[in-house]
Amino acid sequence: MVRSLLTLKDIEPEEFTEMVNRAVYYKSMIGNKKMVVPVLKGKYAGLLFEKPSTRTRTSFEVASERMGGHALYLSSDQLHLSGGEPVKDVARMLGGWLDIMVARVFAQSTLEELKKYSGIPVINALSDSEHPTQMVSDFLTIMEKKKKFKGLKMTFVGDGTNNMANSLMLACSMTGIDLTIATPDAYQPDASYKAFAEKLGKKAGSAITVTDNVHDSAIGADILYTDVWVSMGEEAERQKRLEDFKGFQINSGLLKLARPDAIVMHCLPAERGLEITDEVIEGKQSVAWQQGVNKIYGAASSIEWAMGY
């Protein structure tokens, strides 16, 4: 069965929960250096990355090898994509050689083309629109720390327009977590993602709230989450964004407003002193490093799902 994970919109809430459960399994096995079913035995996984990566690249490479496959790292300049070769031409060739593709790209449309013309499973390892595999590993982390999803309150502080905000709206709505997005008025979440997530939330009993009041957003939160203010591809807007997001920071003062047992999450890399302070990310309530390590188990679960196991 050929199926691709390009967006969480394409999967049912039950499937997402099962992917998280499978990530739990893979952590119990890979995390303890135990053998797993060789889902990729004799197969080749191509990692096509237009954007650099530390955690996502390494986690997918190691997961592929642990699952019996061979991983090939393919940067866009190596494939002449940066030189103007059409995505569909590259996709046709890679589809003839590879068994699965993991793509970290700028445009969501690039993923759609890779899927259409390659004929093999394609996994979204981050696009400007979404980061679905991050959600699998993040929700593994939440399950480990909170033992449940439904009824929790998460507050995302930062850029409401970015791929993490989109992804969290979908994942929280599928699992019954109430999500508050604290963001400046000029950085409102994508309306189509918000509408889609709200439909899911009605079934799961969760809600999405958007506010520019950082103080109130953190009160009683079980989870505080943030991401960089300036994402890859937005460097030209850096100075403006640094001004716009002043005050939208997770610091010790904000953390005190959350529940005493609240956890702090960051998808990394972090710019300490901007969206989060060094004190908080290094503090006892931070699970950022646990999140990062858990990415390999989210990667394994995503590969298993895409290969139809």
Side-chain angles (χ1 to χ4, degrees):
M1 180 190 301
V2 175
R3 57 182 179 181
S4 295
L5 179 61
L6 304 191
T7 167
L8 292 179
K9 293 178 181 179
D10 290 341
I11 67 175
E12 296 296 323
E14 295 76 16
E15 286 182 280
F16 177 72
T17 301
E18 179 57 22
M19 289 176 74
V20 175
N21 289 336
R22 293 301 294 166
V24 172
Y25 160 76
Y26 277 111
K27 185 164 188 176
S28 72
M29 300 297 287
I30 294 175
N32 290 298
K33 305 299 187 290
K34 296 179 180 178
M35 296 292 293
V36 298
V37 175
V39 171
L40 291 179
K41 184 177 181 180
K43 299 184 185 299
Y44 284 83
L47 278 60
L48 172 56
F49 278 42
E50 291 183 336
K51 298 182 176 186
S53 166
T54 300
R55 283 152 294 274
T56 303
R57 173 184 174 177
T58 307
S59 61
F60 269 102
E61 281 191 355
V62 176
S64 298
E65 298 281 345
R66 293 279 187 191
M67 300 171 85
H70 303 281
L72 301 174
Y73 179 72
L74 308 165
S75 63
S76 58
D77 58 331
Q78 290 174 325
L79 299 178
H80 301 295
L81 281 173
S82 60
E85 185 171 4
V87 174
K88 61 184 179 181
D89 291 2
V90 173
R92 289 184 176 106
M93 295 299 96
L94 295 180
W97 300 325
L98 302 171
D99 300 286
I100 185 171
M101 200 182 315
V102 179
R104 184 178 178 91
V105 301
F106 286 96
Q108 188 75 15
S109 59
T110 299
L111 295 168
E112 297 289 348
E113 280 199 82
L114 290 172
K115 174 187 174 181
K116 180 177 180 180
Y117 291 100
S118 71
I120 60 174
V122 177
I123 294 176
N124 177 358
L126 181 142
S127 71
D128 286 348
S129 298
E130 210 172 317
H131 199 350
T133 63
Q134 179 78 44
M135 292 298 96
V136 180
S137 53
D138 279 355
F139 277 67
L140 163 61
T141 307
I142 294 169
M143 179 57 72
E144 289 176 330
K145 302 301 292 187
K146 294 299 181 182
K147 312 303 179 187
K148 66 174 185 176
F149 297 137
K150 195 170 181 62
L152 294 176
K153 176 185 175 182
M154 178 189 290
T155 297
F156 176 80
V157 180
D159 183 1
T161 69
N162 77 7
N163 50 16
M164 290 306 301
N166 289 343
S167 302
L168 287 169
M169 283 192 288
L170 296 175
C172 286
S173 295
M174 287 195 286
T175 54
I177 295 178
D178 288 330
L179 175 65
T180 297
I181 297 177
T183 190
D185 284 338
Y187 295 87
Q188 293 292 296
D190 183 288
S192 63
Y193 270 93
K194 186 170 182 288
F196 193 97
E198 285 174 335
K199 287 183 180 180
L200 292 172
K202 287 180 180 179
K203 296 179 181 179
S206 62
I208 297 172
T209 304
V210 181
T211 180
D212 64 354
N213 191 318
V214 182
H215 178 281
D216 288 355
S217 74
I219 295 173
D222 298 286
I223 305 161
L224 293 180
Y225 200 123
T226 192
D227 188 13
V228 292
W229 293 343
V230 185
S231 297
M232 286 177 281
E234 297 172 342
E235 290 80 6
E237 305 172 29
R238 182 175 178 83
Q239 287 308 123
K240 181 178 187 304
R241 283 174 167 267
L242 295 188
E243 289 295 323
D244 291 346
F245 286 106
K246 277 185 178 177
F248 288 83
Q249 179 190 74
I250 297 182
N251 50 42
S252 58
L254 196 72
L255 183 54
K256 288 177 182 177
L257 299 174
R259 293 177 61 87
D261 62 346
I263 59 174
V264 177
M265 305 185 76
H266 195 306
C267 53
L268 301 176
E271 288 202 67
R272 299 164 193 239
L274 295 182
E275 76 276 1
I276 194 166
T277 61
D278 186 80
E279 177 187 14
V280 170
I281 199 168
E282 293 288 355
K284 63 181 181 180
Q285 289 170 268
S286 169
V287 297
W289 321 119
Q290 186 172 337
Q291 277 179 269
V293 172
N294 279 346
K295 284 180 69 70
I296 187 173
Y297 312 119
S301 177
S302 300
I303 290 169
E304 178 187 72
W305 182 88
M307 296 303 292
Y309 279 78

